[in-house]
Amino acid sequence: MSDDRRMLADMLARFLADACPVEARVDVAYAAPWHSEAAWTGLAELGAFYALASEEAGGMGGTGFDISVVFEALGRALCPEPVLPTLLGLRLLAAAGRHVDDVLAGQRVAVGIGEVDAPYDLDGIETRAEDGRLTGRKSVVYGGAGAERFLIAAQNSGKLALFEVKAKDAQVSGYGMIDGGPAAEVFLDGAPGELVLADAQDALEDALDAGALALCAEALGAMEVVQGILIDYLKTRKQFGQLIGAFQALQHRAIDLGIEIEQARSIVILAASAEGAPEFGKRVAQAKFLVGKIARLVSEEAIQMHGGIGITWEYPLAHYAKRLVMIDAQLGDTDWHLERLMGALSAE
Amino acid sequence: MDLNFSPEEQAFQAEVQAFLAEALPAEIADRVGRGEEPTRDDMERWHAILNEKGWLAGTWPAEFGGQGWGPIELHIFEEECAKASAPRIVPFGTKMLGPVLQKFGTPEQQAEYLPRILDGRDWWCQGYSEPGAGSDLASLKTKAERDGDVYVVNGQKTWTTLGQYANRIFCLVRTKFEGKPQEGISFLLIDLDTPGIEMRPIRLIEGGYEVNEVFFTDVRVPVENLVGEENMGWTIAKYLLGHERTNIAGTGFSVQALAQVKALARQVKRRGKALIENPLFAARLASVEAELEAVKITNLRMLSKAAAGGQLGAEPSMLKIKGTVIRQELNDLARRALGPAAAPFPSEDLDNLAIAPKGHAQNAAGYFNNRKISIYGGSNEIQRNILAKGMMRG
Ligand SMILES: Cc1cc2nc3c(=O)[nH]c(=O)nc-3n(C[C@H](O)[C@H](O)[C@H](O)COP(=O)(O)OP(=O)(O)OC[C@H]3O[C@@H](n4cnc5c(N)ncnc54)[C@H](O)[C@@H]3O)c2cc1C
């Protein structure tokens, strides 16, 4: 890791430990507005979002490794702040050559791609634009509750295009997620939209891949914390007059998790290194597939090896476990990405 | 072996189905079918309906108000109930304490408590586990010291399921501190209204409330509330465990969950097609269905052995492991089928927003909550230990 990135990682870790400690998150992330306005402002003031955009776009980073560093830190802290939509938004706005100063300064943007019948599917988008007015519904828009503006993917003159819609021009129904954080349903009924990109297919694919990489890094950070919590527990919980970590049945499983997490780290590094290269999509698909699988394994096994305590609200592990499982439902699950890889195989 | 039920068993099955179709209130079945916890009122109503039919405690002998059902009839009854989305019968009175009192209780205890279990005047909960005594139950510390004609109870129980609705708790307590830990445990009935008892809720992972901590400070319990003899609690607990192990595979719940996943996968779309046509998803579904078919037969094989008077050794442990893993996999498939639509925190608003097909908003919550089924009642690791012990002995 470069010195700059190490500094960024340290700074973020210190800030997040202060601004969203896990104990406080347990309340903040599950009640409207489902995140902390103060933590959000703090992240913006810290300049964290600059790491998500390239210099040409007005930022100071934007590479795969910059994205990973930020999201791994967010994952370690189990931070519910809606940074993912900011990353997607920055990426899309940059592709359109737009100014991103306000987003870098902390303006909340959310990106509406998925729909009820096409949660991950760019080909299945039915929202349409006619004469600059949008009609359709975007479902489970991450960060949608509280966003000031939306970037909406819609069919327009036979192409997939990107529009900007102001929150006040759409009907936004916000809610919280089972793993914390804000989302929304966005209903567009002839809502005025400003065309941002007339042919947005490539930009959307790239943004989704960058987002999937971010999620993988977030999961990696969270998995490492879970592994730490688990090992501490195995070294303190006693049953039958001994530490439960003395039972080989549990030792081997805890070690297997460690092995899988190393695999996750490797594939995330590979995907991050491919950012900007032609094979980025394939690497991201490999990463999201593996990480989705491993994240579920890690959370289920960690809960099981804790016994009842692992499924209590009061115990931070439970919230990490929820995030880790639900990350699979964002921007394509393991099956979705495995199919991408299978498709690429038959094209080889 | 014959894989079909006998004609009498089939007739019984049809009778249960007809009864459920008629007597199970639709709004309760709806709620349970959606994966929501039945309300207290739901459970009380359903118990009363079953009691009127004489089926609330079907395995109890007729003299105590039951039907004297054997293991196969019980199995048929419970499978059909699960498939029809009936609320589960709260087991603490009917399946646990009832059989214990019938075997170890005094005639006074039987006369006092058994009718009250059936007619709903008493709601029992189970006070075994403690913060330091989970898998290793024998290390429990809650103590009961004799003082004239009362025991004075001090200590803490935890994970007390539905304790918030209960008026009584049966506890394992320590009455002797020397010797082997198993030999100093007694089985005590405690009225939750007794001064010195405090119940505190424990919130679970998905946000729901079904378990509690119970604190006992100088709680005075009459000695006639002791079941069996002093220091005989471990024997009673082991006897009870045998009863707890019926229906342990929960295949009825899995059959119902499988039907739900299939219905969901027909409604939900990916890449323009119904998810059920997606080869990866279909492969997962087909393979768990095969596993479920096998465990159903494994279950029946063991039941017919028990019905023929054979001793079940470690077999229930096998059923528990397989049954829970299959059910959890089905829960995972439902969550997975919904994709992002599984993510919202369940609330009434969500039904109005129709993010997920109607009745499926609870799937992720159900998946997380059901991590419990491989932990409670003896974790899957403990079941493996039991199986391994049997193997090394045999
Ligand atoms: C939702 C829920 C409801 C419950 N309801 C009740 C109730 O109503 N009444 C009641 O009395 N109790 C109840 N329980 C408690 C339940 O029985 C215990 O949680 C269970 O026995 C496990 O104990 P523990 O949670 O303390 O885990 P521990 O015993 O601390 O186990 C932690 C981990 O170590 C493993 N482990 C322990 N010993 C060994 C070993 N020798 N070899 C290998 N692995 C081992 C376990 O399998 C587990 O993975 C409930 C629990 C839950 C979660």
Side-chain angles (χ1 to χ4, degrees):
Chain A
M1 210 195 292
S2 72
D3 285 348
D4 283 357
R5 289 203 194 96
R6 197 178 311 279
M7 268 173 57
L8 175 65
D10 291 346
M11 189 180 72
L12 265 176
R14 270 199 308 275
F15 170 77
L16 291 171
D18 234 31
C20 55
V22 157
E23 296 72 25
R25 179 212 193 260
V26 166
D27 297 320
V28 168
Y30 296 99
W34 305 285
H35 76 115
S36 147
E37 307 277 8
W40 180 263
T41 314
L43 277 174
E45 282 168 3
L46 208 64
F49 305 142
Y50 279 81
L52 304 179
S54 68
E55 276 180 42
E56 308 89 81
M60 287 173 6
T63 71
F65 289 112
D66 297 310
I67 295 170
S68 297
V69 165
V70 171
F71 279 84
E72 201 178 318
L74 294 169
R76 289 192 151 272
L78 195 62
C79 175
E81 298 306 314
V83 184
L84 179 71
T86 295
L87 167 68
L88 297 182
L90 285 170
R91 212 94 190 161
L92 289 168
L93 290 168
R98 294 279 173 133
H99 284 297
V100 291
D101 293 353
D102 34 11
V103 179
L104 290 172
Q107 189 192 56
R108 292 264 314 274
V109 59
V111 176
I113 300 173
E115 301 183 359
V116 172
D117 275 337
Y120 319 123
D121 193 352
L122 285 182
D123 296 332
I125 287 175
E126 287 185 357
T127 298
R128 346 203 117 253
E130 240 165 289
D131 303 329
R133 294 197 165 261
L134 280 82
T135 304
R137 170 184 186 171
K138 294 297 178 181
S139 191
V140 197
V141 177
Y142 300 107
E148 288 172 53
R149 53 203 264 230
F150 290 90
L151 295 171
I152 300 285
Q155 302 293 346
N156 181 51
S157 331
K159 283 211 159 69
L160 196 54
L162 190 72
F163 289 84
E164 180 172 325
V165 175
K166 296 199 170 54
K168 65 173 176 49
D169 291 327
Q171 190 206 320
V172 180
S173 302
Y175 47 82
M177 318 262 261
I178 192 153
D179 52 334
E185 298 301 290
V186 179
F187 298 90
L188 304 156
D189 182 12
E194 186 199 338
L195 184 67
V196 174
L197 263 180
D199 182 355
Q201 184 82 26
D202 291 350
L204 282 166
E205 276 170 15
D206 169 74
L208 287 175
D209 282 338
L213 169 64
L215 289 168
C216 289
E218 183 186 343
L220 183 62
M223 284 191 279
E224 289 188 337
V225 174
V226 167
Q227 175 79 339
I229 295 174
L230 174 61
I231 290 170
D232 280 350
Y233 196 71
L234 294 177
K235 291 201 285 199
T236 45
R237 173 71 172 172
K238 278 193 173 162
Q239 292 286 281
F240 303 100
Q242 52 188 315
L243 297 173
I244 58 171
F247 299 125
Q248 216 170 49
L250 302 190
Q251 285 173 1
H252 285 190
R253 284 159 65 183
I255 289 300
D256 282 345
L257 292 186
I259 297 172
E260 292 300 320
I261 293 170
E262 285 309 316
Q263 287 287 87
R265 173 165 291 285
S266 297
I267 204 74
V268 172
I269 290 173
L270 184 66
S273 73
E275 193 271 336
E279 72 274 18
F280 186 42
K282 175 174 176 179
R283 296 300 179 217
V284 163
Q286 288 175 325
K288 189 80 175 26
F289 159 67
L290 270 186
V291 169
K293 223 170 66 151
I294 295 169
R296 177 188 166 201
L297 181 78
V298 167
S299 49
E300 290 183 352
E301 285 281 86
I303 287 176
Q304 181 68 25
M305 286 189 257
H306 270 79
I309 202 87
I311 59 163
T312 60
W313 188 272
E314 289 305 314
Y315 196 61
L317 171 81
H319 300 277
Y320 277 97
K322 281 190 289 184
R323 180 72 194 121
L324 280 174
V325 169
M326 297 313 293
I327 251 180
D328 191 44
Q330 283 184 274
L331 310 188
D333 65 9
T334 48
D335 284 356
W336 179 265
H337 287 285
L338 187 57
E339 280 181 332
R340 278 177 82 183
L341 296 169
M342 289 156 65
L345 268 187
S346 53
E348 259 173 29
Chain B
M1 109 183 236
D2 189 358
L3 291 181
N4 296 316
F5 290 127
S6 71
E8 298 77 48
E9 287 159 356
Q10 285 176 22
F12 177 64
Q13 187 175 35
E15 190 189 349
V16 174
Q17 285 167 348
F19 169 75
L20 285 164
E22 191 209 299
L24 175 61
E27 70 272 21
I28 297 184
D30 266 5
R31 236 189 316 278
V32 174
R34 277 202 297 273
E36 285 174 38
E37 272 299 302
T39 64
R40 173 192 191 146
D41 187 51
D42 288 345
M43 291 186 268
E44 285 181 335
R45 257 177 87 193
W46 182 233
H47 281 205
I49 292 169
L50 286 174
N51 186 42
E52 194 169 339
K53 176 86 179 160
W55 284 1
L56 180 60
T59 54
W60 290 12
E63 52 173 312
F64 295 122
Q67 307 284 338
W69 286 344
I72 301 212
E73 281 145 316
L74 176 66
H75 172 76
I76 290 172
F77 173 72
E78 293 190 329
E79 291 275 298
E80 294 306 326
C81 285
K83 285 191 240 166
S85 298
R88 72 185 176 121
I89 301 175
V90 181
F92 306 114
T94 53
K95 269 197 163 177
M96 299 184 181
L97 185 61
V100 161
L101 290 179
Q102 287 158 26
K103 176 131 174 113
F104 301 97
T106 60
E108 293 74 31
Q109 287 171 336
Q110 293 172 349
E112 165 81 6
Y113 294 116
L114 293 177
R116 297 173 62 97
I117 291 175
L118 292 180
D119 67 20
R121 274 177 292 164
D122 282 343
W123 185 315
W124 287 91
C125 59
Q126 181 191 32
Y128 281 14
S129 305
E130 298 182 6
S135 300
D136 179 17
L137 205 50
S139 69
L140 64 90
K141 291 203 170 65
T142 297
K143 64 179 175 193
E145 287 167 307
R146 187 81 184 252
D147 178 14
D149 54 4
V150 297
Y151 286 106
V152 182
V153 179
N154 279 285
Q156 180 190 350
K157 293 292 175 183
T158 190
W159 304 119
T160 314
T161 297
L162 300 182
Q164 68 265 39
Y165 303 148
N167 62 327
R168 293 180 198 271
I169 184 167
F170 56 89
C171 288
L172 293 179
V173 292
R174 184 157 298 289
T175 36
K176 197 173 78 167
F177 288 84
E178 22 349 306
K180 274 181 76 182
Q182 285 85 344
E183 288 162 7
I185 293 172
S186 297
F187 193 101
L188 202 56
L189 310 176
I190 303 179
D191 185 337
L192 283 169
D193 284 335
T194 322
I197 300 179
E198 194 200 340
M199 176 118 24
R200 289 187 204 153
I202 301 175
R203 198 175 181 201
L204 289 188
I205 182 166
E206 85 296 348
Y209 167 29
E210 65 191 66
V211 290
N212 301 269
E213 299 176 284
V214 193
F215 298 85
F216 297 87
T217 315
D218 294 329
V219 176
R220 297 175 74 80
V221 181
V223 287
E224 62 259 29
N225 286 19
L226 178 75
V227 179
E229 278 152 37
E230 204 172 89
N231 299 328
M232 177 187 187
W234 194 251
T235 311
I236 298 178
K238 280 209 311 215
Y239 171 80
L240 203 156
L241 213 63
H243 274 260
E244 218 182 318
R245 288 207 186 134
T246 56
N247 190 34
I248 204 161
T251 50
F253 298 112
S254 289
V255 168
Q256 197 247 11
L258 176 68
Q260 280 189 333
V261 181
K262 284 184 182 171
L264 184 57
R266 286 196 185 92
Q267 291 174 60
V268 169
K269 285 199 176 138
R270 290 284 190 287
R271 299 190 206 270
K273 281 194 194 148
L275 181 60
I276 197 107
E277 290 175 46
N278 178 295
L280 289 177
F281 191 85
R284 289 179 195 272
L285 196 54
S287 72
V288 66
E289 184 170 16
E291 292 268 6
L292 176 56
E293 291 303 337
V295 82
K296 273 158 66 182
I297 300 298
T298 311
N299 197 3
L300 288 176
R301 282 167 50 214
M302 292 178 187
L303 281 170
S304 45
K305 180 174 164 191
Q311 265 302 329
L312 288 191
E315 285 110 327
S317 296
M318 203 188 291
L319 287 175
K320 170 131 207 243
I321 294 169
K322 257 303 166 194
T324 52
V325 169
I326 287 170
R327 210 165 133 205
Q328 288 174 334
E329 180 65 18
L330 284 163
N331 293 150
D332 186 67
L333 283 180
R335 177 193 69 70
R336 191 187 282 274
L338 282 174
F345 204 105
S347 78
E348 280 171 20
D349 303 349
L350 287 179
D351 269 351
N352 301 332
L353 279 178
I355 294 164
K358 194 169 166 38
H360 287 287
Q362 301 276 335
N363 272 332
Y367 159 83
F368 286 114
N369 181 282
N370 261 353
R371 301 317 306 169
K372 72 187 174 193
I373 64 180
S374 50
I375 294 171
Y376 66 18
S379 73
N380 282 6
E381 290 73 25
I382 296 301
Q383 307 298 337
R384 285 191 182 89
N385 286 349
I386 294 171
L387 286 164
K389 240 190 217 156
M391 174 180 79
M392 297 313 283
R393 254 204 318 264

